[in-house]
Amino acid sequence: MSAEREVWREALGVVLATSAYGVSFGALAVASGLDVWQTCVLSLLMFTGGSQFAFVGVFTAGGLAALPSAIASAALLGVRNVAYGMRMSPIVGGGPVRKAAAAHFTIDESTAVAISQSDPRLRQVGFWVTGIGIFVGWNITTLIGALVGDVLGDPKTWGLDAAAAAAFLALLWPRLAQRQAIAVGIAAAVVAAAFTPFLMPGLPVLVAAVVAIAVGWFNWMGRPVPAVDEGTDAGSAASS
């Protein structure tokens, strides 16, 4: 299988897994009190699953009175996309128009698939195929979930709540080949889980990102072993 076909296969696998979760969002959004068209517009314009679920979750708890808090929670959770944009800008390339178009498709999944490639051209393929594919699939499944939410029942029964997480794990697993990468992942996960019960949605992710940057920056576990000077080593062997 060619490298490009492999990227397409990887990207489409993530598209299918993530898009399936859109059914869950559509059903939950309508159950929270949004109309079908409001739910679909939210997916079209916001298009970042975590922020959408945060918005619906806070809105469900407090209704219209909680609308400012819902917007704030969604915005905080979406701040991570700014970091993604900085990372993806040189990969996407092109002028302002191309980068502006790419901004809407810069999400967790498209970034993850892109940076997992070693070739610059394949990074672009992974980014665009994943981003556009999920945008189309997510909006279709959002509509389906909004229309058949009552028939679907609890989306967790179908395992849709785990689809996106499983896709991320599949992307992450091959990168855990060094102790430093494992340390970064564990540190970020522990911090995010510890702060989730105490902070509003979005903040635990940002705190975990800071911890991941700190652990990754110092590279405590990834430093190469100092090379042994051959002359010194030979001299030591001769003297012994």
Side-chain angles (χ1 to χ4, degrees):
M1 182 180 295
S2 66
E4 185 165 341
R5 288 186 63 185
E6 180 65 25
V7 175
W8 272 82
R9 189 179 73 167
E10 181 178 307
L12 292 177
V14 175
V15 168
L16 292 175
T18 306
S19 297
Y21 200 20
V23 176
S24 177
F25 171 73
L28 292 175
V30 171
S32 72
L34 296 179
D35 295 333
V36 172
W37 73 270
Q38 291 173 326
T39 300
C40 292
V41 167
L42 199 61
S43 279
L44 282 168
L45 299 182
M46 185 177 290
F47 184 52
T48 170
S51 296
Q52 292 179 228
F53 278 102
F55 178 90
V56 169
V58 177
F59 183 75
T60 301
L64 288 176
L67 188 58
S69 297
I71 296 174
S73 298
L76 281 172
L77 201 55
V79 167
R80 71 192 189 281
N81 288 0
V82 175
Y84 295 159
M86 295 172 63
R87 178 68 178 85
M88 294 306 301
S89 180
I91 294 177
V92 172
V97 175
R98 182 182 177 90
K99 291 183 178 180
H104 198 56
F105 305 116
T106 303
I107 55 176
D108 302 317
E109 293 82 0
S110 61
T111 302
V113 173
I115 64 176
S116 67
Q117 313 305 320
S118 57
D119 183 84
R121 185 181 64 84
L122 296 181
R123 287 184 172 184
Q124 289 198 12
V125 172
F127 172 80
W128 289 108
V129 172
T130 307
I132 295 175
I134 291 178
F135 179 77
V136 174
W138 181 267
N139 281 280
I140 291 174
T141 54
T142 292
L143 176 60
I144 294 173
L147 292 175
V148 302
D150 293 336
V151 177
L152 179 67
D154 187 356
K156 293 181 180 180
T157 304
W158 303 88
L160 297 179
D161 57 321
F168 268 109
L169 182 60
L171 289 172
L172 176 64
W173 190 260
R175 303 179 70 85
L176 299 180
Q178 298 179 347
R179 289 177 298 174
Q180 179 66 16
I182 297 174
V184 171
I186 292 177
V190 170
V191 170
F195 280 99
T196 295
F198 309 106
L199 299 179
M200 65 186 301
L203 285 179
V205 175
L206 298 180
V207 175
V210 172
V211 172
I213 292 172
V215 176
W217 180 270
F218 291 104
N219 197 27
W220 289 307
M221 299 183 181
R223 293 173 180 169
V225 178
V228 178
D229 184 78
E230 294 183 359
T232 304
D233 185 60
S236 300
S239 62
S240 61

